[in-house]
């Protein structure tokens, strides 16, 4: 059987096997279980065997990794090797890699507009993913508004997050002694893993990440009654015209941006900001700037 003759359903599985193996350095039966609810090890082993047969040994089993790793002669057969494939796969199957997270409290459209992934260096993503899996420290050069030329940082990332606008790493920052967000496009290529994370970098200590906030959203009261009813229908609000959205405290700001909501709504025409937050006091501490 040739690759062209493979059924579409199996191509999906082989695509996942290939993408995860390349970007994370290992793919296991557990990935198939999480993504496709395949509980049989025999079935999983059969898929890996068929994949390897079709790709002439793209993967090699590693007892130390307890999974399949890319062979020295690895070639893309069911994927393109594009970073966007990996990032999209992780957002579609959030349980594949527990280090990934996204805003999933609002309905997702069938077709989404997003910023190009090409701005993110593939080497950076692979190092950050590896660091999250190993609980390791990363030494890197990071650009920020205060240091646009870049400065040395040591971070311990625990989660990769898609904010709705761009990808960043949630990490303990040794310079500021706190958990912060690091935009992936601002990390210079060449980041290196330098050892285990410090005890204070334990993700369980990231209070803003572990705390859940409930946003109460209502139609902008400045709209006409008919317009408010329309907005309520647009967002599937309750009969009381209210929508509760639960999100991590660290993600509140990004969710607000995604929904085009600003606390100083008086600066905008009602039509420009159809949603407003009812419980502003609960979220104000988590809005940047």
């Amino acid at each position: 059987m040739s690759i062209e003759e493979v059924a579409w359903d199996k191509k999906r599985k082989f695509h996942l096997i290939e993408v995860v193996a390349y970007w994370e350095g290992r793919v296991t039966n557990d990935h198939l279980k999480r993504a496709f609810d395949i509980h049989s090890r025999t079935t999983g082993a059969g898929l890996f065997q068929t994949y390897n047969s079709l790709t002439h040994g793209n993967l090699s089993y590693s007892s130390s990794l307890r999974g399949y790793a890319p062979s020295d002669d690895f070639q893309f057969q069911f994927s393109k090797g594009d970073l966007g494939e990996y990032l999209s796969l992780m957002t579609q199957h959030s349980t594949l890699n527990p280090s990934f997270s996204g805003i999933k409290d609002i309905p997702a459209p069938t077709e989404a507009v997003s910023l190009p992934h090409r701005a993110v260096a593939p080497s950076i993503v692979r190092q950050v993913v590896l660091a999250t899996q190993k609980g390791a420290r990363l030494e890197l050069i990071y650009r920020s508004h205060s240091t646009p030329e870049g400065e040395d940082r040591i971070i311990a990332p625990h989660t990769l997050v898609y904010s709705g606008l761009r990808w960043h790493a949630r990490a303990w920052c040794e310079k500021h002694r706190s958990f912060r967000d690091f935009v992936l496009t601002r990390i210079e290529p060449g980041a290196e893993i330098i050892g285990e994370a410090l005890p204070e970098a334990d993700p369980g200590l990231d209070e803003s990440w572990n705390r859940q906030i409930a946003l109460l959203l209502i139609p902008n009261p400045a709209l006409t009654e008919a317009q408010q009813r329309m907005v309520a229908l647009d967002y599937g609000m309750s009969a009381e015209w209210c929508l509760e959205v639960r999100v991590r405290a660290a993600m509140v700001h990004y969710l607000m941006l995604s929904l085009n909501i600003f606390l100083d709504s008086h600066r905008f025409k009602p039509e420009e900001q159809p949603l407003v937050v009812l419980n502003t006091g609960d979220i104000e501490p988590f809005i940047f700037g």
Side-chain angles (χ1 to χ4, degrees):
M1 179 173 58
S2 67
I3 290 178
E4 291 73 21
E5 295 172 317
V6 177
W8 177 80
D9 186 55
K10 276 196 174 180
K11 281 185 177 179
R12 287 176 59 224
K13 296 178 176 64
F14 293 155
H15 176 268
L16 181 142
I17 287 172
E18 192 166 283
V19 171
V20 173
Y22 177 74
W23 289 102
E24 295 191 7
R26 182 191 73 148
V27 61
T28 68
N29 273 308
D30 197 42
H31 287 106
L32 297 177
K33 176 182 175 182
R34 292 177 180 178
F36 302 109
D37 201 29
I38 296 176
H39 293 269
S40 170
R41 286 194 169 274
T42 302
T43 302
L47 283 170
F48 284 116
Q49 183 178 3
T50 303
Y51 171 83
N52 252 353
S53 176
L54 289 167
T55 60
H56 306 291
N58 243 0
L59 302 178
S60 301
Y61 184 79
S62 169
S63 56
S64 62
L65 294 176
R66 297 181 181 179
Y68 294 85
S71 66
D72 293 337
D73 299 322
F74 179 89
Q75 296 290 328
F76 297 106
Q77 300 290 345
F78 291 92
S79 61
K80 299 177 181 178
D82 181 74
L83 175 59
E85 290 179 299
Y86 177 62
L87 300 182
S88 296
L89 190 64
M90 290 300 107
T91 52
Q92 290 170 28
H93 301 284
S94 59
T95 58
L96 277 175
N97 185 335
S99 297
F100 270 77
S101 180
I103 300 173
K104 298 181 179 62
D105 300 288
I106 56 177
T110 302
E111 183 71 23
V113 176
S114 61
L115 295 179
H117 295 309
R118 68 178 67 93
V120 183
S123 60
I124 293 299
V125 176
R126 297 181 77 178
Q127 286 293 79
V128 172
V129 169
L130 191 60
T132 62
Q133 294 179 332
K134 291 187 172 183
R137 303 159 77 207
L138 267 181
E139 186 174 36
L140 49 84
I141 296 176
Y142 188 73
R143 299 186 300 273
S144 64
H145 286 293
S146 58
T147 56
E149 70 283 356
E151 67 171 347
D152 293 333
R153 295 283 189 96
I154 296 178
I155 68 172
H158 66 71
T159 307
L160 269 180
V161 181
Y162 182 56
S163 69
L165 296 173
R166 57 192 177 185
W167 287 91
H168 65 259
R170 182 72 178 175
W172 170 260
C173 175
E174 295 192 10
K175 174 186 176 181
H176 294 284
R177 314 299 297 175
S178 63
F179 288 98
R180 297 192 168 211
D181 299 329
F182 292 85
V183 180
L184 295 191
T185 52
R186 296 180 181 176
I187 299 176
E188 293 281 357
E192 294 184 0
I193 291 178
I194 58 172
E196 292 185 3
L198 302 176
E200 53 264 48
D202 183 345
L205 300 176
D206 190 348
E207 295 182 5
S208 293
W209 181 257
N210 295 307
R211 178 178 177 181
Q212 290 284 327
I213 296 288
L215 275 75
L216 300 179
L217 305 176
I218 61 172
N220 194 325
L223 294 169
T224 67
E225 183 175 349
Q227 289 173 326
Q228 290 183 56
R229 183 180 296 107
M230 178 183 68
V231 172
L233 290 171
D234 283 344
Y235 289 92
M237 293 183 177
S238 65
E240 292 75 28
W241 292 0
C242 183
L243 176 65
E244 179 179 315
V245 180
R246 299 193 66 82
V247 66
R248 297 181 187 275
M251 298 287 286
V252 166
H253 186 86
Y254 303 121
L255 180 58
M256 295 276 284
L257 289 177
S258 296
L259 293 174
N260 196 35
I261 301 174
F262 301 91
L263 294 184
D264 53 347
S265 58
H266 61 275
R267 295 195 298 112
F268 304 90
K269 295 179 180 178
E271 293 80 7
E272 295 174 338
Q273 186 170 306
L275 289 175
V276 296
V277 179
L278 192 60
N279 56 329
T280 55
D282 293 337
I283 67 170
E284 280 182 323
F286 307 104
I287 302 300
F288 306 156

